Amino acid sequence: CGGMIMNDNMNDQVDPVLSTEIQGLLWLSAASIPEAVELNNVLGLNKTKIKNKTPGYERHLKVNTISTGIRYEALIDAAERSGCKNIFDLTSGFYPTFLRLYRNNFSYRGCDKPLVVQKMQPFVTQYTNGRTKLCSVDVTNDASMIKSAQDLDGSLCIINMSLLMYLQKYERESMLKSISALLKEHGGCWITPDPEAIPVYLDIAPIVMGIDLQKLIEAARKLYKDPPNALIDQTYNGTPDEQEKFFRSFGFDVEKVPILPDDRRFDALYTLGSQKASEIRNKIKDKSIWIMRPSNNDNAPTVLKAGDFECSRDAEGRQLILNMSGRLDSLSSSDFQTYYDKLGGLGFDSIRLDMNRLTYISSTGLRVIMHMVKDVGQGNVSATGISDNVMDILNVTGFNTLLKM
């Protein structure tokens, strides 16, 4: 199969995010990923035009090559181990994922923007004898996602790479809802290396480039003060813990598996030689690829009874309502915290505390409420039906300024 050379002006026909997808194939090819080399030879992508449009391309080429190669191979490895019948790729782009999975006898469905699908489908059809399909999909629209998978029989392993950082916060929220709807329809899991992509890059870069990490960070800040390839929502660049909390708030359980399993040898890693490969493997041994599934909250508690304190829950849309009564003291606060934690996977983004029958709240009880404020943000926790006694406590402690009343 061959001879399908893409137009040299292709990079001028697509939006800036797609140039990053093309870079991804070039990096995987440079990392000696066999199917990437094969695909790049057939597509004839123009490395020079991408290089000229990207500041610091050559200087960061080796780091991007290794980090992208590791994330790609880790993603494919985790998908193949998932036990799912179908691989549903949200970022098929110009990656050679379809080629690897098809040859390993997996059912593959690729999704991307219409122009990419138009360019890639003839090649994909030819290479897979018409058994692999690409779809134009809006990842923030659950109807679009469900429609694109409606003919697939069996569980789905949804995968993506280098996607989340190109979505603004509201787009990520919509995407999580879409993924959740798709998995509830078909079963399966969602796998991505995106949450730890930046930590992996920062761990690898000093080894590959031989420079101090702080100098690298300063250079990166100067280089990318105006991101060249996408309008990146800076709230994405939180810690892995913050991102995990974000995913869990939308009803996902998060499982983390090593990005470099001991029983796997990744081609990208060993393009540097065995010594540096060993250094990198040791450096990122604590980094993970994330496997997520919709939480099973059928057993989430409805009522808490702890001593003289009682709490029940209701909901209005995405608002959690907690009906509190009795005394929330040092003895019952621990149980109340556990009760609240078990509700964390239900995906609420605001909380209303009905204190109509609450007679007392201690400092330990206030700490639980502070935890809620930190979870959903100040201004998103309200209190109603507050008794005079409880209001006095809130006023003295300053909680009257933290809660909407």
Side-chain angles (χ1 to χ4, degrees):
C1 178
M4 181 184 155
I5 305 299
M6 287 192 173
N7 192 306
D8 283 342
N9 294 322
M10 180 176 178
N11 296 337
D12 296 327
Q13 300 172 13
V14 298
D15 66 38
V17 174
L18 294 186
S19 71
T20 302
E21 294 183 352
I22 296 171
Q23 282 180 337
L25 175 58
L26 295 175
W27 289 333
L28 294 178
S29 181
S32 299
I33 307 296
E35 63 270 24
V37 174
E38 181 178 357
L39 180 59
N40 191 36
N41 287 340
V42 173
L43 297 183
L45 295 177
N46 193 325
K47 172 183 174 181
T48 303
K49 297 192 75 172
I50 299 172
K51 177 175 65 175
N52 290 342
K53 289 184 177 183
T54 308
Y57 179 89
E58 288 296 337
R59 185 182 182 205
H60 293 265
L61 174 61
K62 199 65 176 178
V63 184
N64 286 320
T65 293
I66 302 304
S67 63
T68 303
I70 288 174
R71 288 185 289 118
Y72 169 81
E73 293 193 277
L75 180 63
I76 300 299
D77 182 67
E80 292 181 335
R81 295 182 187 221
S82 70
C84 295
K85 181 178 179 181
N86 305 288
I87 310 298
F88 192 82
D89 188 354
L90 300 181
T91 49
S92 57
F94 302 99
Y95 289 121
T97 317
F98 77 93
L99 203 51
R100 168 85 71 91
L101 291 170
Y102 170 75
R103 288 174 173 171
N104 289 348
N105 298 313
F106 284 87
S107 168
Y108 177 86
R109 175 65 49 83
C111 306
D112 216 295
K113 297 188 175 185
L115 181 58
V116 177
V117 172
Q118 177 188 346
K119 294 288 184 180
M120 289 295 293
Q121 185 64 69
F123 172 80
V124 171
T125 299
Q126 187 175 2
Y127 241 101
T128 64
N129 298 316
R131 293 172 57 190
T132 296
K133 180 181 177 183
L134 303 183
C135 294
S136 300
V137 172
D138 178 359
V139 298
T140 67
N141 183 292
D142 54 358
S144 173
M145 296 262 278
I146 290 173
K147 181 180 179 180
S148 64
Q150 64 185 3
D151 61 328
L152 296 178
D153 180 29
S155 59
L156 302 183
C157 175
I158 301 174
I159 63 174
N160 76 269
M161 191 169 94
S162 301
L163 171 63
L164 293 174
M165 59 279 290
Y166 293 105
L167 300 178
Q168 297 187 48
K169 186 173 184 291
Y170 77 92
E171 293 175 315
R172 292 198 302 274
E173 291 174 347
S174 296
M175 189 188 82
L176 294 186
K177 294 175 186 176
S178 298
I179 290 175
S180 179
L182 197 58
L183 291 177
K184 287 176 181 177
E185 178 93 4
H186 290 266
C189 63
W190 169 33
I191 304 179
T192 177
D194 284 7
E196 298 192 38
I198 293 174
V200 167
Y201 183 96
L202 292 177
D203 277 349
I204 289 174
I207 298 173
V208 175
M209 299 176 71
I211 64 173
D212 178 75
L213 178 59
Q214 188 58 42
K215 291 181 179 179
L216 175 68
I217 293 173
E218 291 172 0
R221 283 175 178 165
K222 182 178 180 181
L223 183 62
Y224 293 111
K225 62 180 179 179
D226 297 314
N229 291 328
L231 178 61
I232 300 176
D233 179 6
Q234 295 302 313
T235 60
Y236 169 79
N237 296 321
T239 66
D241 285 345
E242 291 169 336
Q243 294 179 64
E244 180 176 353
K245 185 167 70 173
F246 178 73
F247 293 135
R248 289 188 183 278
S249 74
F250 279 83
F252 285 93
D253 287 332
V254 180
E255 177 189 0
K256 301 176 185 178
V257 299
I259 197 167
L260 289 178
D262 291 335
D263 61 343
R264 291 291 190 269
R265 174 188 170 95
F266 290 170
D267 293 330
L269 192 58
Y270 289 89
T271 59
L272 295 171
S274 58
Q275 181 176 343
K276 284 193 173 182
S278 179
E279 288 182 48
I280 290 175
R281 181 176 281 277
N282 184 63
K283 185 68 175 178
I284 64 174
K285 63 184 178 182
D286 62 334
K287 300 302 184 292
S288 303
I289 191 163
W290 292 23
I291 303 175
M292 290 172 278
R293 299 173 178 86
S295 300
N296 180 5
N297 287 304
D298 293 340
N299 297 320
T302 301
V303 177
L304 167 69
K305 293 182 180 180
D308 294 330
F309 177 73
E310 186 171 323
C311 183
S312 63
R313 65 177 174 91
D314 291 309
E316 289 183 1
R318 290 176 56 79
Q319 182 180 64
L320 172 65
I321 302 170
L322 296 176
N323 306 299
M324 307 164 69
S325 64
R327 293 174 55 85
L328 182 55
D329 54 25
S330 58
L331 295 177
S332 55
S333 292
S334 177
D335 291 328
F336 184 44
Q337 178 70 66
T338 301
Y339 173 80
Y340 170 72
D341 287 342
K342 288 181 178 179
L343 303 178
L346 293 173
F348 296 108
D349 55 19
S350 65
I351 300 171
R352 187 172 86 218
L353 304 173
D354 184 347
M355 298 182 173
N356 187 52
R357 293 184 295 161
L358 187 68
T359 59
Y360 173 78
I361 184 168
S362 68
S363 59
T364 52
L366 291 173
R367 279 199 287 272
V368 180
I369 293 178
M370 177 62 78
H371 183 78
M372 297 178 187
V373 172
K374 289 181 178 179
D375 267 354
V376 298
Q378 189 169 345
N380 293 317
V381 180
S382 60
T384 60
I386 308 170
S387 68
D388 290 342
N389 185 43
V390 173
M391 180 60 80
D392 288 341
I393 296 172
L394 297 179
N395 288 337
V396 169
T397 57
F399 270 72
N400 60 320
T401 64
L402 292 178
L403 303 177
K404 291 177 64 177
M405 298 180 185

